[in-house]
Amino acid sequence: MSIVSLLGIEVLNNPAKFNDPYEFEITFECLEPLKEDLEWKLTYVGSSRSLDHDQELDSILVGPVPVGINKFLFQADPPSAELIPANELVSVTVILLSCSYNDREFVRVGYYVNNEYDSEELRENPPAKVQVEHVIRNILAEKPRVTRFNIVWDNEDGNADEYPPEQQEEEEQEGNEKKEEEDEEEEEEEEEEEASSSSSTTINKKKRKLEDDEDEEEIDIEEEEDIEEDLGEEEGEEDLKDLEEDEQQDDDQEDGTEKLNGSETPIDKVQST
């Protein structure tokens, strides 16, 4: 946990001429008594291509620091134009306001600074040699970039190397979140594969069931054919039996006729007698 917390920075005399001093009103809170002073420092980034052109504009020691909310005014001299590459003097650059305790930096605030000429004519037709007296600066105070670092304070033991910057922790957290997302994607893929496998098993079961039903239908069809054959045989036997009965009746009728015809002869014989 940080013993000193930066609460706010107000950028004064902004915009201003390039050669005017920088002024900041800084407010911070101290949670516990400190044995050493706080060192505040302002750095001007002279080139985006090399650190050799960076200039430390000023640094001050603030202390002893009482517990509670503290406020002070920090003033720093402007950068030396001679130490800045001519092609980067009238352009956008950065200033860094930092604070350290026991030579350990625990907070850094960066601001973009836009340097341009003060007249439309010079902006449209810049001179070959930079006219610093006509250059004005504008600090983008509304968009600071704050970076905090964990350090060892008076009431803590250990080496400062054991306390990495907070941005590294944020990167690790992002890495862990990314790993969790990958694990979730893998779990979803496994669930989809299981669902696909289950669906395939269900389809195979249904297919086997349909095949079993077809076999049962074939068996039923064969049984029906056997029953029809049996019925056909029984009907054939009944037809044959009926035919035999009809033939027997015809024979009986013929025998009756013959008997009837035979009985007439004695009668005729009686009448003729």
Side-chain angles (χ1 to χ4, degrees):
M1 182 183 69
S2 180
I3 303 301
V4 177
S5 300
L6 182 63
L7 300 181
I9 298 177
E10 183 179 356
V11 181
L12 306 178
N13 71 328
N14 184 56
K17 292 184 177 181
F18 184 84
N19 289 324
D20 288 346
Y22 289 85
E23 293 183 6
F24 302 92
E25 186 178 75
I26 302 173
T27 304
F28 66 94
E29 183 180 13
C30 184
L31 301 179
E32 297 179 6
L34 299 176
K35 297 178 181 180
E36 306 295 337
D37 296 338
L38 296 175
E39 182 183 10
W40 295 84
K41 181 172 59 177
L42 182 64
T43 304
Y44 184 91
V45 178
S47 174
S48 59
R49 297 179 177 86
S50 175
L51 298 176
D52 297 335
H53 300 286
D54 291 357
Q55 299 181 47
E56 184 179 316
L57 302 184
D58 204 349
S59 65
I60 61 171
L61 294 175
V62 178
V65 179
V67 175
I69 297 176
N70 301 272
K71 182 184 294 186
F72 71 98
L73 183 65
F74 180 27
Q75 292 183 338
D77 294 331
S80 298
E82 298 78 11
L83 302 178
I84 302 173
N87 61 341
E88 295 191 68
L89 199 153
V90 183
S91 63
V92 177
T93 186
V94 174
I95 57 172
L96 300 173
L97 179 62
S98 62
C99 187
S100 302
Y101 183 73
N102 279 339
D103 296 327
R104 300 174 185 139
E105 183 182 17
F106 64 89
V107 65
R108 180 190 303 166
V109 182
Y111 293 97
Y112 286 106
V113 181
N114 183 30
N115 297 315
E116 61 180 1
Y117 284 109
D118 56 1
S119 67
E120 189 69 25
E121 182 180 354
L122 291 175
R123 286 195 290 267
E124 293 179 356
N125 301 300
K129 184 179 180 180
V130 178
Q131 299 179 8
V132 179
E133 64 274 11
H134 291 288
V135 176
I136 59 174
R137 68 165 187 258
N138 184 13
I139 302 173
L140 302 182
E142 298 81 8
K143 298 181 179 180
R145 184 176 181 85
V146 182
T147 305
R148 295 179 173 84
F149 306 91
N150 288 326
I151 65 169
V152 176
W153 299 87
D154 295 334
N155 59 346
E156 298 175 345
D157 296 329
N159 195 322
D161 295 335
E162 297 178 359
Y163 294 83
E166 289 188 359
Q167 60 266 29
Q168 293 184 4
E169 295 179 358
E170 294 175 357
E171 291 176 357
E172 292 177 0
Q173 184 176 0
E174 291 177 357
N176 293 333
E177 292 177 354
K178 185 175 181 181
K179 185 177 180 181
E180 290 178 358
E181 292 178 358
E182 292 177 353
D183 294 339
E184 290 178 357
E185 291 178 357
E186 291 179 357
E187 290 178 359
E188 291 178 357
E189 290 178 357
E190 291 178 357
E191 290 177 357
E192 291 178 357
E193 290 178 358
E194 290 178 359
S196 176
S197 176
S198 175
S199 175
S200 176
T201 304
T202 304
I203 292 172
N204 292 333
K205 288 181 178 179
K206 290 183 178 180
K207 185 175 179 181
R208 287 197 297 269
K209 185 176 181 181
L210 289 173
E211 292 176 353
D212 295 339
D213 293 342
E214 290 177 357
D215 294 339
E216 291 178 359
E217 290 179 359
E218 291 178 358
I219 293 172
D220 294 340
I221 291 171
E222 292 178 357
E223 291 178 355
E224 291 178 358
E225 290 177 354
D226 295 338
I227 292 171
E228 289 178 354
E229 289 179 358
D230 294 339
L231 291 174
E233 292 177 356
E234 292 179 358
E235 291 177 354
E237 292 177 357
E238 291 179 356
D239 292 340
L240 181 60
K241 186 176 180 179
D242 293 338
L243 182 60
E244 290 176 354
E245 290 178 355
D246 292 339
E247 290 178 354
Q248 184 66 36
Q249 290 178 359
D250 292 339
D251 293 338
D252 293 339
Q253 289 178 357
E254 289 178 357
D255 294 338
T257 303
E258 290 179 355
K259 289 179 179 180
L260 183 61
N261 294 331
S263 61
E264 289 177 354
T265 304
I267 293 173
D268 294 337
K269 288 180 179 181
V270 173
Q271 291 177 353
S272 59
T273 306

